[in-house]
Amino acid sequence: MNHTDDDMEEDNLDQAIDNTEISFKERLTYDKLSFYYISLPIMLVGNLLGAFLLCAIQLESVDLYSISIWLLVSFIMFLYRFYHYYLFRGESEINKLRDADIWLDRYYSNTLISGIVWGSSAFLMFPESGLLNQMIVLFFLFAIGFSAMGILAAKRDLLLTYALVTYAPIILRFFFMEDELYTRIAYIILALMLIMILTANYYGKVINNALNNRQHFMTIKHTHEKLKERFFSLFERAPVGIYYYNPWLELQDVNMHFMKMNKVKDKEELLNTNLHNLSNHQIIEAHKEVFRGKTGNYRGPFEVLNSKENFYVNLSTVPMIDAEGNVAGGITIINDITNEVTAKEEMIRNAYYDMLTNIPNRTLFLDKLKSFIEHKKQNGEYAALLFLDMDHFKKVNETYGHDVGDQLLKQVVKRIENTIGGHELFARITGNKFVILISSLDRNKTLSKEMTSKYISTIQDKFIEPFNLVGNEYHVSFTIGIVLFNNRDISAYDLLKRSETAMYEAKKNERGTSLFYQSIMSQEIEETLMLENDIHKAMKNDEFIIYYQPQLDVKQNKIIGAEALIRWDHPEKGFIPPTTFIPVAEESGIIIKLEEWIIDKVLREIKSLSRRLSGFPLDHIAINICTVHFLQPHFVEKLMLQLHEHGVKPEWIELEITESGIMRNIDDAAKKIKELKSFGFTFSIDDFGTGYSSLSYLKELPVDMIKIDQSFIMHMNESKGDATIVEAVIGIGQKFNIKVLAEGVEDEPTLEALKKMSCDIYQGYYGYKGMPIEDFEKLL
């Protein structure tokens, strides 16, 4: 086999080893197998030629029949073994590795058979007389034996077996011949056989050692190649930049990621680039640390090589040691952390700046206000904190959507920034609420107030010009709370809280105004907060009671329904009217939870009522729903879940919504009303005539009843104007086939007047006051 074949076989073996996990012993077995089969063609050809030559020499001294039989057997054996050799060569390396033991057993068997064939020559090819021809047979046996034993020397048991089957017949033949000369020859053959075995055994050890050494070498080479391949793969495909450099800081090799970081496709563009060309001396010093036997580290901006573009990196460089132990250069691992740094900066910015308007948020403002207070000079000079609340901003979101609302906020911020001076601190606290810190006014409090008022007027004047919202003009105004301070005895949080308190007090009086903080305001706010907390406790402790005020048919004076009204008997403060706690609930946002509690309570009570009375005896029970709650995205789904939970039919429930609330988002309201009516609910419009009364929306909204506000009913007998309005509303109801309910009927004359006007239903203290479910049940 030539050198090329060896290389190919070695490559095939390496590939097989890569794909198959094999032990050292298995690989050694494979090497022996290869050694045997590589030498097999020479051995076979030698045996065949030897057989032909022996037969030719013995033609005259041995009968032709014996020669023919022996030669035929030898030739068949040659073909048989050559066939096995052919099969072996055709096998893949993986199969050879897997079936090595089978191939070895096959080789051993064939070798022993060959030995037996040659051993049989002592009987078939050995002449009865003629010492020369007899010695020729012996010569051929030793010639073939020497060549075979040299090859079989790597396997001791095979060597001994082969010697036995090859030489035992000739030795026995000589021993059984009567001449003493043959006996001596037999001993000589036996001695030569032993010498040959010992020699071959030694040679076998040499071969085995050579195979072991070769296998160790192959193992080391294979491991080295694998490590080299893995290192190269790691170097080239590492998710970080890696490069080598020499003592002159010239790049010697770079990986693919570093090329990508530097936006080059050809490695040659970066090779021999000198790092001294970088403008950042910290990076250069980090690389020089390597030649002092240290590790260099750097974190910060890194210039794209051959460019002025920067990105942030985390860089670490270590010495590269040569065979003599000297520092021959360095290896640098560089990780692009631009996204990480940007994300951290973004996170910090989001923590301290408003994401929508890009101005300081509440957190940063309080930090700066705290710092301002701590460093404020004790010279008596006043500063002012303004708390600005955009009026009616909720209507913008409800009418136009939050996207338009966000755009309006941006425009408002831009206009304020163009108005205020550079020394003022401007921040967005939340939603539509902003603050401005005027850091320097005057030592005189009155003059400081005048300066602040003038400052506020300047801001308000800038908002006289309307904004353009989706093609419509929209005017913005602010309700502003102000707190003046001139010392360090107050915290930033308290200042903010006081300015907000003043804003809410101003809003109570009139929106679009401003008010300076007074200490009495805090007491009112605290009372409001206490009331808010008490509402939470009341829901938890079941302190609220549902009263049912009957609704009667005007003509028959018969109870046909009732309105569910909430009442609160506080365990410490006694009876608290709804006019006191409902506005607090609406302002704080608790109203949704409170109304969900009311709905749950009403459904539970009317379900029990229907069980006791074996059916529901009324047309409906009316439940008031505030606008904020009704316009919630999942109002319908939640309401239907509550009905399903209590087993109450939608036909039993009438939902009361206010006229002004509907007009905030009439499209959404109409959609929800139609959806709920499809389930069986009925609807009434509360306080009709006090807000946006319009015939057009009555066409759009499929309501079942309109309620005339009690402010018109209570004085309709004394006021011709109220009576006219009541009559007109009843006429509208008849025109649109909508029932009309008069609220607040307190006397017989009012009821009689309503009968003449053909009003459908009345409700008020004249008929029945509100009462708990137990008392209401007695009326039925």
Side-chain angles (χ1 to χ4, degrees):
M1 180 176 289
N2 58 34
H3 182 71
T4 303
D5 291 337
D6 289 340
D7 292 341
M8 289 177 61
E9 184 175 331
E10 198 169 285
D11 291 341
N12 291 336
L13 176 60
D14 288 343
Q15 184 177 359
I17 290 169
D18 287 339
N19 298 325
T20 310
E21 291 186 7
I22 59 174
S23 65
F24 177 83
K25 183 179 179 182
E26 289 172 323
R27 292 175 65 183
L28 186 59
T29 301
Y30 175 84
D31 274 356
K32 287 182 179 181
L33 180 66
S34 299
F35 174 74
Y36 293 154
Y37 276 92
I38 286 170
S39 58
L40 184 58
I42 299 172
M43 186 175 174
L44 291 177
V45 172
N47 282 351
L48 186 62
L49 292 176
F52 277 120
L53 183 59
L54 178 61
C55 289
I57 294 173
Q58 300 292 78
L59 274 174
E60 295 182 0
S61 56
V62 179
D63 64 282
L64 186 61
Y65 179 75
S66 297
I67 291 174
S68 299
I69 292 174
W70 187 80
L71 184 61
L72 179 62
V73 172
S74 298
F75 187 70
I76 291 171
M77 192 62 203
F78 168 79
L79 292 176
Y80 178 70
R81 294 193 69 184
F82 197 84
Y83 172 70
H84 282 173
Y85 171 76
Y86 175 78
L87 292 178
F88 180 80
R89 293 294 294 175
E91 278 285 2
S92 66
E93 299 302 320
I94 294 176
N95 288 341
K96 289 177 184 178
L97 280 168
R98 186 190 62 203
D99 302 331
D101 289 335
I102 296 174
W103 282 106
L104 274 177
D105 291 341
R106 188 175 293 166
Y107 183 85
Y108 295 158
S109 301
N110 292 343
T111 303
L112 290 177
I113 294 171
S114 294
I116 292 170
V117 171
W118 275 100
S120 66
S121 65
F123 301 103
L124 294 175
M125 301 297 294
F126 193 84
E128 292 295 332
S129 61
L131 184 61
L132 177 62
N133 290 89
Q134 292 172 347
M135 291 300 105
I136 289 173
V137 174
L138 184 60
F139 172 78
F140 271 91
L141 283 175
F142 272 102
I144 294 299
F146 269 117
S147 62
M149 287 186 178
I151 295 170
L152 301 177
K155 185 72 174 174
R156 183 185 301 173
D157 51 353
L158 181 61
L159 173 66
L160 293 174
T161 305
Y162 182 84
L164 182 64
V165 298
T166 304
Y167 296 110
I170 194 69
I171 293 172
L172 291 173
R173 184 68 185 266
F174 278 117
F175 270 124
F176 284 102
M177 293 181 74
E178 296 179 356
D179 196 329
E180 188 178 349
L181 174 64
Y182 290 114
T183 304
R184 291 177 182 176
I185 293 172
Y187 282 116
I188 292 170
I189 295 171
L190 186 61
L192 288 173
M193 186 184 73
L194 291 174
I195 293 170
M196 187 170 60
I197 289 173
L198 292 174
T199 304
N201 184 55
Y202 172 77
Y203 182 54
K205 289 180 180 179
V206 173
I207 292 175
N208 284 329
N209 286 336
L211 289 173
N212 276 325
N213 292 337
R214 180 183 181 278
Q215 195 54 60
H216 279 296
F217 171 77
M218 291 294 295
T219 301
I220 294 170
K221 179 186 175 184
H222 178 71
T223 304
H224 175 74
E225 291 295 332
K226 290 283 286 186
L227 289 174
K228 184 179 178 181
E229 180 183 341
R230 289 171 183 170
F231 179 79
F232 180 77
S233 178
L234 175 64
F235 173 74
E236 284 296 338
R237 296 178 177 83
V240 293
I242 306 175
Y243 57 82
Y244 298 101
Y245 57 93
N246 61 20
W248 299 275
L249 300 190
E250 294 172 338
L251 299 185
Q252 300 299 292
D253 197 4
V254 299
N255 72 344
M256 293 170 63
H257 195 83
F258 188 71
M259 290 165 59
K260 185 178 178 181
M261 291 166 69
N262 287 276
K263 300 178 180 178
V264 299
K265 294 182 178 180
D266 188 0
K267 185 181 289 191
E268 295 296 327
E269 295 181 38
L270 294 176
L271 297 186
N272 296 319
T273 300
N274 199 308
L275 296 176
H276 283 107
N277 296 330
L278 295 173
S279 59
N280 193 324
H281 293 288
Q282 287 181 287
I283 300 176
I284 298 171
E285 286 302 316
H287 286 79
K288 287 182 177 179
E289 285 291 306
V290 164
F291 300 100
R292 302 184 187 107
K294 300 178 181 178
T295 298
N297 294 293
Y298 169 77
R299 184 184 177 92
F302 185 92
E303 292 178 19
V304 174
L305 298 179
N306 305 322
S307 172
K308 294 299 181 183
E309 189 176 343
N310 280 341
F311 53 91
Y312 282 89
V313 301
N314 192 10
L315 180 150
S316 182
T317 180
V318 296
M320 186 168 62
I321 310 299
D322 61 17
E324 298 176 358
N326 300 319
V327 179
I331 307 173
T332 298
I333 296 177
I334 181 169
N335 190 16
D336 185 355
I337 58 170
T338 304
N339 291 337
E340 177 188 337
V341 172
T342 304
K344 285 184 178 179
E345 289 178 350
E346 186 71 19
M347 184 174 65
I348 293 171
R349 183 160 191 83
N350 291 342
Y352 290 102
Y353 285 86
D354 179 59
M355 294 176 66
L356 177 66
T357 60
N358 207 30
I359 61 174
N361 62 11
R362 177 189 178 95
T363 304
L364 181 58
F365 176 78
L366 285 173
D367 285 349
K368 288 185 175 291
L369 181 58
K370 180 182 178 182
S371 178
F372 172 77
I373 294 170
E374 290 174 351
H375 296 91
K376 182 173 171 46
K377 294 179 180 179
Q378 296 282 38
N379 56 4
E381 185 180 65
Y382 279 92
L385 180 60
L386 280 56
F387 197 105
L388 291 74
D389 180 82
M390 272 180 67
D391 298 323
H392 307 296
F393 180 70
K394 191 179 293 184
K395 288 183 179 179
V396 176
N397 284 334
E398 292 174 352
T399 305
Y400 300 104
H402 288 277
D403 289 342
V404 175
D406 289 347
Q407 293 301 317
L408 177 61
L409 285 172
K410 290 180 180 179
Q411 294 179 51
V412 166
V413 167
K414 187 175 181 180
R415 193 174 287 190
I416 292 176
E417 285 182 323
N418 292 336
T419 303
I420 64 177
H423 297 292
E424 284 77 20
L425 177 59
F426 177 42
R428 182 187 180 197
I429 298 302
T430 180
N432 60 325
K433 295 175 175 58
F434 302 90
V435 287
I436 300 173
L437 174 64
I438 306 174
S439 58
S440 179
L441 292 169
D442 194 86
R443 295 182 182 180
N444 182 278
K445 187 173 184 179
T446 303
L447 185 58
S448 294
K449 280 188 174 184
E450 292 176 0
M451 292 170 67
T452 304
S453 298
K454 186 177 179 180
Y455 187 93
I456 291 171
S457 297
T458 303
I459 294 175
Q460 296 282 32
D461 290 344
K462 290 292 182 180
F463 286 89
I464 295 175
E465 182 183 350
F467 291 91
N468 187 309
L469 289 187
V470 292
N472 300 316
E473 289 188 350
Y474 185 82
H475 290 271
V476 170
S477 63
F478 294 95
T479 301
I480 303 174
I482 313 123
V483 59
L484 293 175
F485 62 100
N486 65 346
N487 56 56
R488 303 177 186 173
D489 298 333
I490 187 170
S491 69
Y493 177 79
D494 286 338
L495 274 176
L496 184 62
K497 185 178 177 182
R498 290 180 183 183
S499 64
E500 185 178 15
T501 300
M503 182 274 294
Y504 280 115
E505 287 298 316
K507 188 184 287 189
K508 285 181 183 178
N509 299 331
E510 185 181 0
R511 291 179 184 269
T513 61
S514 59
L515 191 65
F516 284 90
Y517 172 80
Q518 295 178 2
S519 57
I520 193 173
M521 296 177 181
S522 294
Q523 183 178 350
E524 294 176 0
I525 294 295
E526 287 177 7
E527 290 175 357
T528 301
L529 289 174
M530 287 178 63
L531 186 60
E532 183 182 328
N533 290 330
D534 285 347
I535 293 172
H536 281 288
K537 292 178 183 177
M539 286 189 286
K540 184 178 179 181
N541 300 330
D542 220 20
E543 295 174 10
F544 291 113
I545 304 170
I546 302 298
Y547 274 43
Y548 296 86
Q549 188 173 47
Q551 295 175 342
L552 296 89
D553 183 277
V554 172
K555 292 180 181 178
Q556 300 178 12
N557 206 33
K558 174 188 174 184
I559 297 174
I560 60 169
E563 180 180 3
L565 303 168
I566 187 169
R567 297 293 181 259
W568 187 7
D569 188 10
H570 195 283
E572 298 176 0
K573 300 175 183 177
F575 179 77
I576 300 177
T579 52
T580 300
F581 68 83
I582 292 295
V584 173
E586 289 178 340
E587 184 67 30
S588 63
I590 315 172
I591 189 66
I592 295 175
K593 287 186 177 179
L594 181 58
E595 286 191 353
E596 288 176 348
W597 184 93
I598 293 170
I599 293 170
D600 188 76
K601 182 81 170 178
V602 171
L603 296 180
R604 193 184 312 122
E605 290 185 345
I606 64 175
K607 180 62 179 178
S608 299
L609 177 68
S610 68
R611 285 174 180 167
R612 290 193 296 270
L613 299 180
S614 301
F616 188 67
L618 304 169
D619 289 349
H620 61 263
I621 294 291
I623 303 175
N624 289 281
I625 304 295
C626 74
T627 304
V628 174
H629 190 190
F630 185 68
L631 294 178
Q632 288 292 303
H634 302 292
F635 173 78
V636 175
E637 291 86 345
K638 289 184 177 180
L639 180 60
M640 292 305 297
L641 283 173
Q642 286 183 295
L643 259 72
H644 180 73
E645 181 182 348
H646 293 287
V648 173
K649 295 180 180 180
E651 292 84 357
W652 300 356
I653 305 299
E654 180 178 87
L655 300 175
E656 284 192 17
I657 51 179
T658 62
E659 180 185 9
S660 58
I662 292 172
M663 295 306 294
R664 291 186 185 181
N665 195 336
I666 191 168
D667 293 334
D668 189 31
K671 182 181 176 182
K672 280 191 169 71
I673 290 173
K674 289 175 182 176
E675 185 178 1
L676 287 166
K677 279 183 69 67
S678 69
F679 292 121
F681 291 92
T682 55
F683 277 85
S684 64
I685 299 177
D686 198 11
D687 301 336
F688 186 82
T690 60
Y692 300 86
S693 299
S694 170
L695 299 182
S696 61
Y697 82 75
L698 283 178
K699 288 183 179 180
E700 297 179 31
L701 299 175
V703 297
D704 303 278
M705 185 186 299
I706 51 178
K707 295 179 70 173
I708 305 174
D709 188 66
Q710 61 183 349
S711 62
F712 300 113
I713 301 296
M714 293 174 68
H715 305 290
M716 61 179 286
N717 289 327
E718 292 84 22
S719 171
K720 186 177 283 188
D722 286 351
T724 302
I725 291 173
V726 171
E727 191 170 9
V729 172
I730 294 172
I732 291 170
Q734 292 171 346
K735 179 177 179 62
F736 290 98
N737 197 27
I738 299 173
K739 291 182 180 181
V740 179
L741 183 148
E743 193 174 23
V745 178
E746 295 188 347
D747 52 40
E748 182 69 27
T750 303
L751 181 59
E752 288 300 319
L754 291 171
K755 285 182 181 179
K756 291 178 182 179
M757 295 178 184
S758 299
C759 183
D760 299 293
I761 306 168
Y762 78 93
Q763 173 183 339
Y765 297 126
Y766 173 70
Y768 301 95
K769 296 181 179 180
M771 60 197 76
I773 189 69
E774 296 83 7
D775 296 335
F776 179 67
E777 184 180 347
K778 294 175 183 177
L779 299 177
L780 304 177

